[in-house]
């Protein structure tokens, strides 16, 4: 079996907008991370919430 040189393994966005190469991280209360991961489509939903926060509050 042959392997491709320089494979593209980046995460692909669901829409036309490209993702930043560095993730945003923040600390949460104990147990929140596991509960968040149980929410369907949590990453995309959280991105929408962050975008709305920036638009409504300013930034």
């Amino acid at each position: 079996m042959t392997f491709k040189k320089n494979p593209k393994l980046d995460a692909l966005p669901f829409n036309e907008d490209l993702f930043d190469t560095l993730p945003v991280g923040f600390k949460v209360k104990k147990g929140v991370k596991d509960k968040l991961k149980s929410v369907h489509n949590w990453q995309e939903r959280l991105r929408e919430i962050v975008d709305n926060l920036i638009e409504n509050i300013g930034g």
Side-chain angles (χ1 to χ4, degrees), residues 5-47:
K5 292 183 179 179
N6 301 321
K8 184 94 170 145
L9 297 176
D10 294 339
L12 300 174
F14 295 109
N15 53 21
E16 300 296 322
D17 299 330
L18 297 176
F19 291 152
D20 198 330
T21 57
L22 298 175
V24 173
F26 58 95
K27 297 192 184 269
V28 294
K29 293 180 183 177
K30 203 170 208 176
V32 170
K33 184 171 79 171
D34 294 328
K35 291 178 185 178
L36 180 63
K37 288 184 178 184
S38 70
V39 174
H40 175 71
N41 202 19
W42 70 271
Q43 291 176 322
E44 189 60 31
R45 292 172 69 180
L46 188 57
R47 287 182 191 107

